Amino acid sequence: MPRAANDVMQSIIFSAVLDGLAALKRASGGLPNQLLRDVQAIHPNVTFADLPKQLQDQITETTRSAFAQLLKEGYAVGPRQQMQQSRPLDRVPERQRTNDRRGPLRGPRRGPPSGNGPDKPRGGPGGPSRPRKPKGKPRLG
């Protein structure tokens, strides 16, 4: 049974993070202070070129293996326009619905919304859902 896309992506990202951390350790040469500097140099605006060379190489390799794993799991990967043009062969072809048992397709309704027309009284079934005010004098105490 094929794995869900969520499971595949989770395993890909998990592996990428672990591989990236291992690459950072290799880039530091086993020096804890250098590892700490490399980690602190990573921030939301860091560019790919600012990362250590070992981490850049690992990200490139992980990206390639992620696409390979997606393809191996049976998921299609490609540009959006190319993927939309090549639909699966087992898809049911679209058909015209003009003679369908449900009748012709209709556009948006024109006119007043149902329940608010001039010939339908307000209140009662289908009317406003607020409580009615009691008739007569208000009771005190």
Side-chain angles (χ1 to χ4, degrees), residues 11-135:
S11 68
I12 288 172
I13 291 172
F14 183 72
S15 296
V17 169
L18 290 180
D19 293 343
L21 290 173
L24 276 173
K25 285 182 179 181
R26 284 192 307 271
S28 70
L31 301 172
N33 290 342
Q34 184 62 39
L35 176 62
L36 185 60
R37 278 189 220 114
D38 288 344
V39 170
Q40 287 177 339
I42 299 172
H43 53 84
N45 294 328
V46 71
T47 63
F48 187 74
D50 294 337
L51 298 173
K53 177 73 172 132
Q54 288 87 348
L55 184 56
Q56 291 177 11
D57 294 342
Q58 187 61 50
I59 290 173
T60 303
E61 177 59 33
T62 301
T63 304
R64 285 189 191 119
S65 67
F67 280 110
Q69 187 173 354
L70 283 171
L71 292 172
K72 186 179 89 175
E73 292 288 337
Y75 291 97
V77 180
R80 178 183 292 182
Q81 292 175 346
Q82 182 183 4
M83 299 310 295
Q84 288 175 347
Q85 290 172 356
S86 61
R87 293 184 174 180
L89 296 176
D90 60 347
R91 182 183 166 127
V92 177
E94 296 293 327
R95 60 187 166 111
Q96 292 290 337
R97 294 186 180 190
T98 54
N99 293 332
D100 197 322
R101 65 179 178 260
R102 292 171 280 189
L105 295 176
R106 298 183 194 140
R109 293 191 132 183
R110 297 176 197 256
S114 62
N116 294 334
D119 55 343
K120 186 168 182 178
R122 305 213 18 110
S129 60
R130 63 179 180 240
R132 296 182 181 178
K133 293 182 181 177
K135 295 181 180 180

